[in-house]
Amino acid sequence: RIYHEQSDLRRQLAEVEVANQQYSHQYFSVEQQNNNLANLYVASYHLHSPVDRGEVLSAIQEIVINLIGSEELAIYEMDDDGTTLRLVGSFGIDPVAYATVPVGSGIIGKTALSGDIYLPGKGMDLARTPRESNLTVCVPLKLDNRVFGSLAIFRLLPQKNGREAIDYELFNLLA
């Protein structure tokens, strides 16, 4: 009888340990979702609260650096005639080398033309110009569904292990 009770207790303990692991995994998942929601809220707040152009550019840089995980970016604005993208903000790149991009040229220019987010291996397979060799993502910047610029994100930080689901939400938010 003691042997059977001991066997039952071991089985119950094993079941409790399995349930504990499942709860721990669920807790981690919920914690990660809460963190992602908090990051999206902060990013949305930073993008939509300022009315000053410089603050918006600064907010975009902060989101890319801190939430997406890249310290190499270029922010372009389309000129009045819609033929050229001009660099209005950057971080970690040579601003002279990236000063202008003709609309429709390379990934950055074609993204501004199409209005679609460029992600390597996701849909569009575009030819790169030499300066786009390290381009990771290109996001068209829109206002009322009209493209007015482009955000080029180059290399991700080494500790960033690829793109995550939250990154796609951030790309759409930035667009």
Side-chain angles (χ1 to χ4, degrees):
R1 185 177 59 88
I2 292 175
Y3 175 75
H4 288 296
E5 286 179 10
Q6 196 177 35
S7 181
D8 283 344
L9 287 173
R10 284 188 178 133
R11 182 187 48 77
Q12 289 175 357
L13 178 61
E15 288 173 359
V16 167
E17 286 176 346
V18 167
N20 188 27
Q21 282 182 331
Q22 289 173 341
Y23 291 137
S24 177
H25 180 69
Q26 287 176 339
Y27 174 79
F28 176 75
S29 178
V30 168
E31 189 70 26
Q32 192 170 22
Q33 288 176 351
N34 283 341
N35 187 38
N36 288 345
L37 286 172
N39 285 341
L40 280 174
Y41 172 78
V42 168
S44 179
Y45 178 79
H46 281 294
L47 280 176
H48 293 99
S49 64
V51 290
D52 178 60
R53 181 174 180 235
E55 290 178 26
V56 172
L57 293 174
S58 178
I60 291 171
Q61 286 181 0
E62 185 178 323
I63 290 167
V64 171
I65 292 168
N66 295 322
L67 299 180
I68 293 173
S70 175
E71 292 184 342
E72 295 180 21
L73 64 108
I75 305 170
Y76 293 94
E77 185 175 60
M78 197 173 302
D79 63 5
D80 292 336
D81 63 4
T83 61
T84 306
L85 293 165
R86 301 206 184 283
L87 189 69
V88 293
S90 66
F91 191 87
I93 62 165
D94 177 13
V96 174
Y98 293 87
T100 61
V101 174
V103 172
S105 172
I107 295 171
I108 297 169
K110 288 181 181 165
T111 299
L113 191 62
S114 73
D116 296 325
I117 296 173
Y118 169 78
L119 297 162
K122 300 271 186 188
M124 297 186 295
D125 187 26
L126 303 174
R128 295 173 181 264
T129 63
R131 65 181 168 182
E132 296 173 332
S133 64
N134 295 319
L135 187 67
T136 302
V137 177
C138 192
V139 179
L141 302 176
K142 301 177 185 178
L143 185 60
D144 296 328
N145 289 326
R146 183 182 157 271
V147 176
F148 71 89
S150 191
L151 167 64
I153 302 171
F154 299 92
R155 281 185 279 253
L156 295 176
L157 294 172
Q159 63 269 27
K160 180 79 175 193
N161 208 6
R163 293 184 302 262
E164 301 170 8
I166 186 70
D167 293 334
Y168 298 105
E169 296 298 325
L170 289 167
F171 299 148
N172 286 320
L173 178 68
L174 288 166

